[in-house]
């Protein structure tokens, strides 16, 4: 009787330690394992117990060969596995960790998992769950990541995991959606989050990214946002909080002549104190930037951009205190200015112009239920209206900051967006009723502030083209309208804008603008000024800033329309009433409250007024290239 015949006879499975029998061929071992699995249903568990014991030897180097043999034999015998009779064996397989195995053992285990997942589909979920679990390394791996050996092991483990997931997704089309449902929820910080996001981006760059890229970017953006919000930015040493954005970019090192032209100032010095959250957020941003670069090289950046914007709009745009995570959008635009760069501005403009009018229903309030319905409807409408207000003003703040800071945006495109904004504001003035309550016109004021802010950075290049200059003509009547946007917008934005407008000859239709000592009393009584929300203020993290800086306009690069030597001749006086600000401090309806690290610029006396109105001759240069 041959070996095969002997092994197919259950009564012959009585030899001890058959798993360690090196004389058996691979085929014979498969037959032996199949007979072992079948014998359990007949109550013969000796061989099965021996097989289970072998599967438990993941940390016993003397039994590695037997473990590999068993795993390979099981891979060819998954049809013989029964979830009831072989529960102990399957449980051991799903609890195994690739972190405990050597590469050749990993290969055998991954092969078994792929076979289990795709043969019948019965074991798809536990296989995927076991693989995805490796996205969060054990604590001992995190503690030893400074060791080269552990870094190498991390790469081997995650490489095996993604290879297995890819093969399962190819062979089982339902797998991608199941993987996303199984991704672990994390509440840890530091390197654990970094490795998790790194794995998410690898999934996005695989077959899964084609259909489920939006969900993956949602998860990545959520992680970035959560870490961004966790940083106590208020505790970071900054310049005098009474100074405006332009003063905020001053740097003492430049005044001391310690930097030479062209040197890069490391704005992102926040990682120097070893703060774990700063460092982790910086690394996560760099991982995301690298991923976008790889998408561009693969010719899929346009597709990725749509999914990225969806995640940005969902998780970032309306959040008031993110300071870094939004730069993922900025960098994506800089990689493809003519496509993604244009799309981003268009999408923001569309959100800003979106009408929040809700359908109304005529109902006679004669019944108590109808009255309750109307009360509920009014509450809902009020909530929705508030949401749209926040959403539209956030979009405008992003648009203004983007147009001002995006070095890669052509001046003609910036001018076209400004024209749309000017036309929209002009239409608002024409249709304005007698109600000049500032709260009822927040959208209008945000549009006016956006126009002035962008022109602070771009006025010289805009006015250099006659057609672009002519498109700004309606701006004079807008700013002189009875709604008086000059008193509602940020004083330091208004001051810098008017200073450049006078020097550049922007307003030539009438003499209605009194530039010298401009309407001090009027500008001091603003009932509620817009807050300083310019989300693309200079990036504060070192490594992240290195990706941004080459395509970013710092204030030091701007050539205003006035000559610095002649500043005194174009000084514009803007005053703020301290009392009115204190009264407004508790207004919870102010939708843009504390939305940026850019401080408000309130100045009450001659000394502070001079500090604001005299634009610094040297501004902090994170980069000091040629001026615009």
């Amino acid at each position: 009787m041959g070996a095969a015949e002997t092994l197919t006879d259950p009564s012959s499975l009585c030899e001890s330690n058959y798993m360690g029998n090196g004389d058996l061929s691979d085929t014979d071992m498969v037959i032996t394992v199949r007979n072992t699995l079948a014998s359990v249903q007949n109550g013969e568990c000796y061989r099965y117990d021996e097989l289970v014991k072998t599967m438990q030897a993941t940390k016993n180097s003397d039994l590695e060969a037997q473990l590999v043999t068993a795993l390979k034999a099981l891979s060819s015998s998954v049809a013989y596995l029964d979830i009831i009779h072989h529960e102990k064996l399957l449980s051991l397989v799903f609890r195994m960790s690739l972190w405990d195995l050597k590469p050749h053992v990993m290969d055998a285990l991954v092969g078994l998992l792929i076979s289990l997942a795709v043969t019948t589909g019965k074991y798809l979920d536990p296989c995927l769950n076991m693989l995805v679990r490796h996205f969060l390394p054990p604590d001992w791996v995190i503690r030893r990541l400074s060791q080269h050996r552990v870094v190498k092991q991390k790469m081997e483990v995650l490489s095996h995991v993604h290879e297995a997931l890819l093969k399962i997704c190819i062979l089982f089309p339902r797998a991608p959606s199941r993987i996303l449902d199984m991704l672990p929820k994390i509440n840890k910080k530091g390197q654990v989050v970094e490795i998790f996001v790194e794995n998410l981006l690898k999934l996005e760059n695989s077959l899964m990214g084609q259909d489920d890229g939006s969900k993956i970017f949602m998860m990545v953006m959520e992680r970035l946002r959560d870490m961004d919000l966790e940083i106590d930015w208020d505790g970071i040493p900054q310049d005098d909080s009474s100074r405006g954005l332009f003063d905020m970019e001053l740097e003492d090192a430049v005044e001391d002549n310690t930097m030479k032209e062209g040197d890069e100032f490391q704005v992102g010095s926040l990682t120097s104190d070893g703060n774990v959250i700063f460092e982790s957020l910086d690394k996560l941003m760099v991982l995301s930037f690298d991923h976008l670069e790889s998408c561009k090289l693969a010719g899929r950046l346009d597709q990725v951009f749509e999914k990225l914007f969806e995640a940005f709009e969902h998780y970032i745009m309306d959040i008031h205190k993110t300071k870094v995570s939004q730069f993922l959008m900025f960098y994506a635009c800089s990689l493809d200015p003519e496509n993604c760069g244009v799309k981003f501005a268009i999408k923001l403009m569309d959100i800003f112009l979106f009408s929040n009018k809700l359908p109304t229903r005529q109902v006679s309030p004669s019944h108590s239920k109808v009255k309750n319905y109307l009360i509920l409807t009014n509450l809902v409408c009020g909530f929705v209206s508030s949401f749209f207000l926040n959403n539209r003003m956030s979009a405008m703040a992003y648009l203004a900051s983007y147009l001002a800071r995006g070095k890669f945006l052509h001046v003609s495109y910036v001018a076209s967006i400004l024209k749309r904004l000017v036309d929209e504001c002009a239409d608002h003035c024409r249709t304005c009723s007698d109600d000049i309550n500032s709260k009822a016109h927040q959208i209008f004021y945000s549009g006016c502030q956006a126009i002035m802010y962008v022109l602070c950075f771009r006025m010289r290049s805009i006015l250099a083209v006659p057609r672009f200059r002519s498109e700004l003509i309606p701006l004079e009547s807008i700013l002189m309208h009875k709604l008086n946007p000059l008193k509602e917008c940020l004083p330091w934005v208004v001051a810098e804008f008017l200073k450049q407008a006078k020097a550049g000859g922007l307003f030539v239709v009438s003499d209605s603008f009194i530039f010298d000592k401009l309407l001090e009393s009027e500008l001091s009584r603003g009932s509620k000024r817009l807050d300083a929300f310019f989300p693309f203020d200079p990036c504060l993290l070192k490594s992240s800033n290195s990706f941004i800086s080459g395509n970013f306009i710092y204030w030091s690069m701007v050539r205003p329309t006035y000559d610095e030597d002649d500043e005194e001749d174009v000084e514009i006086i803007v005053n703020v009433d301290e009392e009115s600000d204190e009264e407004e401090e508790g207004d919870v309806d102010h939708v843009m409250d504390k939305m940026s690290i850019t401080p408000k610029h309130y100045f009450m006396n001659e000394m502070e007024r001079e500090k604001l109105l005299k634009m610094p001759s040297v501004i902090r240069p994170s980069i000091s290239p040629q001026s615009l």
Side-chain angles (χ1 to χ4, degrees), residues 418 421-430 443-456 459 472-490 493-502 506-508 510 512-515 518-519 522-523 530 572:
L418 286 177
L421 284 175
V422 169
D423 291 344
E424 181 69 17
C425 290
D427 287 342
H428 184 88
C429 291
R430 282 192 291 270
I443 296 297
F444 167 72
Y445 293 133
S446 67
C448 292
Q449 178 165 289
I451 294 168
M452 289 188 286
Y453 180 76
V454 174
L455 286 174
C456 286
M459 191 176 298
L472 295 177
I473 289 176
L475 185 56
E476 180 177 7
S477 60
I478 293 170
L479 298 180
M480 293 303 297
H481 191 268
K482 63 182 178 180
L483 290 174
N484 202 350
L486 293 179
K487 77 171 183 179
E488 299 293 335
C489 298
L490 288 166
V493 172
V494 174
E496 174 63 21
F497 164 76
L498 292 176
K499 193 159 38 172
Q500 291 203 41
K502 179 181 180 182
L506 175 60
F507 301 123
V508 295
S510 70
S512 57
F513 270 93
I514 306 174
F515 287 98
L518 174 75
L519 303 174
E522 287 297 320
L523 292 174
L530 300 176
I572 304 300

Side-chain angles (χ1 to χ4, degrees), residues 221 225 311-312 314-319 322 325-326 398:
M221 200 71 87
R225 179 206 63 186
F312 160 79
H314 188 80
Y315 282 106
I316 302 295
M317 194 178 78
D318 290 331
I319 301 299
T322 58
S325 48
Q326 63 266 27
Y398 267 97

Side-chain angles (χ1 to χ4, degrees), residues 129-146:
N129 189 56
M130 183 268 194
L131 289 166
V132 169
R133 193 175 69 237
H134 287 80
F135 285 178
L136 299 181
D139 291 340
W140 69 265
V141 173
I142 299 298
R143 289 194 303 268
R144 301 176 187 174
L145 273 177
S146 58

Side-chain angles (χ1 to χ4, degrees), residues 174-188:
R174 187 163 60 91
S177 60
R178 301 298 303 138
I179 292 173
L180 292 179
D181 292 338
M182 294 174 183
L183 288 172
K185 303 296 182 183
I186 58 173
N187 54 11
K188 298 183 179 181

Side-chain angles (χ1 to χ4, degrees), residues 16 46 71 105 116 142 193 248 264 267 300 311 337 358 371 409 428 443 463 470 506 538:
S16 63
Y46 174 74
L71 290 169
V105 186
L116 280 170
I142 299 298
V193 183
M248 184 182 165
E264 179 177 346
V267 176
R300 53 188 294 264
L358 296 174
K371 291 181 180 179
L409 294 173
H428 184 88
I443 296 297
L463 297 186
S470 65
L506 175 60

